[in-house]
Amino acid sequence: MNQKVLKTLEYNKIITQLAAHAASEKAKELCLSLTPSDDKEAIETALMQTDHALSRIYKKGSVSFSGIHDVGASIKRLEIGASLSIPELLRITSLLEAAKRVKAYGRNDRDDSPRDSLSAMFDELEPLTPLSDEIRRCIISEEEISDDASSTLKSIRRSIRSINDKIHAQMSSMLSSTTIRGYLQDAVVTMRDGRYCLPVKAEAKGQITGMIHDQSSTGSTLFIEPMAVVNLNNDLREKFLKEQEEIEVILTGLSNRVAEYIPQIQTDYELLTRLDFIFAKAAYALEYNGIAPVLNENGIIHIKKGRHPLLDKKKVVPIDIRLGGEFDQLVITGPNTGGKTVSLKTVGLLTLMGQSGMLIPAADQSQIAVFHNIFADIGDEQSIEQSLSTFSSHMTNITNILADADGCSLVLFDELCSGTDPAEGAALAISILTYFHNHHIHTMATTHYSEIKIYALSTPGVENACCEFDVETLSPTYRLLIGIPGKSNAFAISKKLGLSDYIIEDAKKRITENEQNFEDLIADLETSRRTIEREQLEINQYKSEIEGLKKRLEEKQEKLENRREDIIRKANEEAAIILKEAKDTADAAIRNFNRYGKTTPDISEMERERSKIRKKMSENDAKLAANKKSAPANNHVPKKLKIGDSVKVLSMNLKGTVHTLPDNKGNLFVQMGILRSQVNIRDLVLLEDETSPASKKFAKTGAGKLKMSKSISVSTEINLIGKTVDEAIALLDKYLDDAYLAHLPSVRIVHGKGTGALRRAVQAHLKTLKYIKSYHLGEFGEGDAGVTIAEFK
């Protein structure tokens, strides 16, 4: 990949922003040295790893890679048998603790969780926890070794404290003496060369016996070590030396233990820096909602809802771009500042990002091709130093591109052959485009030349496109429309800005009839396109409504089938019970008949048995009569119902409140206590003398009516994007109450992906609600991680 195009398309800014998301210096270097590849398999592996890292961030949040230090120099010292210093041992410990933290992050929550392309890297990490714990036990900080590092060190330090106590006691005794205090400059104990001294006045140096270690800058004070503590100071110095010797022994022992795990430590460092690099790409992709594009080697580009990553994501307009397949050349026309150059740069930059293993800011299933080289001639490249005009600079660049481009290249031209005579420039541009077209080199070019628009219309394999412009508001919409040539709109813009109609009409007369007809044709095509788009939108709406009706009909049919099966099953069960009872009764009668036939029967007992059978038959007849008895005709069918009216459901003998108005078949929903059921209006009687509990409760304020209407109109979705956490939770809480009262089975909470803070706050709030049965992130097609689906109990 030529280096010039990386600067032209601002790829360098992308990797600089990427490096800011890496924690370790080595990972930052990997980010800054990242370049596009033309190896499709390697690119797909990199994209898959980045995509899996992003999925883990959505699921578990980010992982910290802090504490990863380059321990290469320390490893080399260990390999030659040297001991490590305290800071070096602490850096190795920090690396191992980072490995432990990252390995725990990579561990699956459940044993049956699927593995991904990063699982093996997480598994290979060796935290060496016993080693890091031992180093932490022995070393408190870069300046301090723990007393518990060894029993010898603990004993030495106990002796040092004891000697210090004796010295302080001796020195305090001397300071408390009135005589000696008179010889001192200050009544304090000070240190000189690691030995305790007293600040003695120069004229009284003969009054205190001891060794002089120093004097003040004026010479008025001498720092004398009293003879009484000389031996103690000597003992203290000796203990300090032994302490240092023991610390060296401890550091040597720790270094030897570290040396046993050199391969594992080197592997940990390499894996952690690699994971840091991969998760840096994922964290960067999280900022612009990146996706893994589908790669191909056929030169096909199909970017859906592509966004330039360096533009403000709140203002950038997504564009759809196609190149390859039906056409390998795309000519983009339209007014200035309409988005032509941004479209070029978006295609080039997203291709560079994709071939670098980075996710691209576009919609799912976007495709990019793997090119061996990308060339771009964009911007004003006038060179004063080389005495080159704008046209000359562009032509020099185009000449180099013509020499190097081949069938595996992507070429981008901005305002091809501008800056010279329009007629000559247009002819030259068409010849250059024809050369690239004949050699099957994928090319995108922007232009204002009408001749190039005609070339695109008349040449197979070449397609026109334009950046849409709203003449009414004199502003571009930044939408890229493929298949339609664009207009410069110079006359319309000039008229809108107040230019005289006389001048505009005079200008129109100065262009040829063919040119005028061509511009009129473009205008007609634009009008037709907008009409088709509007009609297509209406068709899509109708299709959506039809799909909804079809789905509801299928659900209703399924409910009816289930209900029919339940009725048949219950009838069979009841029939089996009746048959069993009849069989038992017949068996008992036969046994009694046989028994009475062989013996002298007891008439009273026979009568009792016959009464039992007659009673059971009467009970069965009564049940059958009750089932066969038809409901009395309802002569009081309500003529007009309102929501909130009190009614009685005859078939269920229950009172309730009208919850919905009857449909065209007379079916409506009635709320009967906690039971909400669909009934037919013929099964209802209006209770005029009674008011519903809701009406009683809210009769004075009308709140009941308000609450009922709100429950009916509540939506199945709430959009919290753009809200702060506090605003979102307040809106969500009220919305969930309304949705629960409206008996919605589930709701869709749109919080977006973003940093994940709003998603976590929403899910944390859902955990606290008792009427929430469950919640989960949206599946593919429901909004993915930008949506949470909550189900009510």
Side-chain angles (χ1 to χ4, degrees), residues 230-256:
V230 168
N231 289 334
L232 290 174
N233 272 331
N234 289 340
D235 292 342
L236 185 62
R237 177 62 65 86
E238 182 182 353
K239 293 297 182 182
F240 279 140
L241 293 175
K242 288 183 177 180
E243 180 188 31
Q244 290 303 314
E245 291 174 359
E246 182 58 25
I247 288 174
E248 290 298 326
V249 171
I250 293 169
L251 294 179
T252 301
L254 292 174
S255 299
N256 291 337

Side-chain angles (χ1 to χ4, degrees), residues 186-247:
D186 292 299
V188 295
V189 178
T190 184
M191 293 283 289
R192 286 295 184 273
D193 297 329
R195 304 180 76 86
Y196 290 96
C197 301
L198 294 175
V200 181
K201 297 176 182 178
E203 61 271 18
K205 65 179 180 179
Q207 302 301 321
I208 296 179
T209 306
M211 298 176 61
I212 298 174
H213 287 280
D214 198 3
Q215 69 176 5
S216 64
S217 58
T218 61
S220 61
T221 303
L222 298 176
F223 296 95
I224 298 175
E225 179 186 4
M227 193 57 67
V229 296
V230 168
N231 289 334
L232 290 174
N233 272 331
N234 289 340
D235 292 342
L236 185 62
R237 177 62 65 86
E238 182 182 353
K239 293 297 182 182
F240 279 140
L241 293 175
K242 288 183 177 180
E243 180 188 31
Q244 290 303 314
E245 291 174 359
E246 182 58 25
I247 288 174

Side-chain angles (χ1 to χ4, degrees), residues 518-711:
F518 181 70
E519 292 296 325
D520 292 341
L521 176 61
I522 291 175
D524 291 341
L525 286 173
E526 176 67 12
T527 303
S528 299
R529 179 195 63 80
R530 293 187 177 182
T531 303
I532 292 170
E533 274 192 357
R534 185 171 59 254
E535 292 176 351
Q536 186 64 44
L537 181 62
E538 292 176 358
I539 291 171
N540 291 337
Q541 289 176 345
Y542 291 145
K543 290 173 87 174
S544 177
E545 291 177 5
I546 291 171
E547 288 294 327
L549 291 171
K550 180 182 177 184
K551 184 177 180 181
R552 288 196 293 272
L553 182 61
E554 289 175 350
E555 290 175 353
K556 188 173 182 180
Q557 186 66 29
E558 184 179 356
K559 289 180 180 178
L560 289 174
E561 289 293 329
N562 293 337
R563 188 175 177 184
R564 176 175 172 273
E565 291 176 0
D566 288 342
I567 292 172
I568 293 173
R569 178 178 52 80
K570 290 179 180 178
N572 289 334
E573 291 175 356
E574 291 177 0
I577 293 172
I578 292 172
L579 287 173
K580 185 176 183 305
E581 290 179 352
K583 181 178 179 301
D584 293 342
T585 302
D587 290 344
I590 291 172
R591 284 195 299 272
N592 290 335
F593 181 79
N594 292 333
R595 179 163 58 87
Y596 295 150
K598 296 178 181 179
T599 60
T600 302
D602 186 344
I603 300 300
S604 60
E605 183 180 352
M606 289 178 65
E607 188 60 32
R608 283 195 300 272
E609 291 294 334
R610 189 172 68 169
S611 298
K612 286 181 182 180
I613 294 174
R614 187 183 297 112
K615 183 178 180 182
K616 184 168 290 188
M617 290 177 65
S618 298
E619 290 175 354
N620 289 335
D621 289 341
K623 288 181 181 179
L624 290 173
N627 290 334
K628 291 180 180 179
K629 184 179 181 181
S630 59
N634 182 8
N635 298 321
H636 302 284
V637 176
K639 300 296 183 181
K640 190 174 182 180
L641 287 176
K642 299 189 297 295
I643 293 175
D645 285 348
S646 295
V647 294
K648 181 177 182 180
V649 183
L650 298 177
S651 60
M652 305 175 75
N653 197 28
L654 291 175
K655 295 180 181 180
T657 304
V658 174
H659 203 272
T660 63
L661 295 177
D663 57 16
N664 54 0
K665 295 183 179 179
N667 295 325
L668 68 154
F669 281 96
V670 175
Q671 188 76 37
M672 297 164 282
I674 62 171
L675 176 64
R676 181 173 181 263
S677 179
Q678 185 181 41
V679 298
N680 194 276
I681 193 171
R682 292 189 296 274
D683 196 24
L684 299 180
V685 174
L686 182 63
L687 303 177
E688 297 180 355
D689 297 332
E690 298 183 23
T691 57
S692 67
S695 300
K696 291 178 181 178
K697 185 175 180 180
F698 300 108
K700 294 182 179 180
T701 64
K705 185 175 182 181
L706 177 63
K707 183 176 180 182
M708 181 64 72
S709 64
K710 186 181 295 183
S711 300

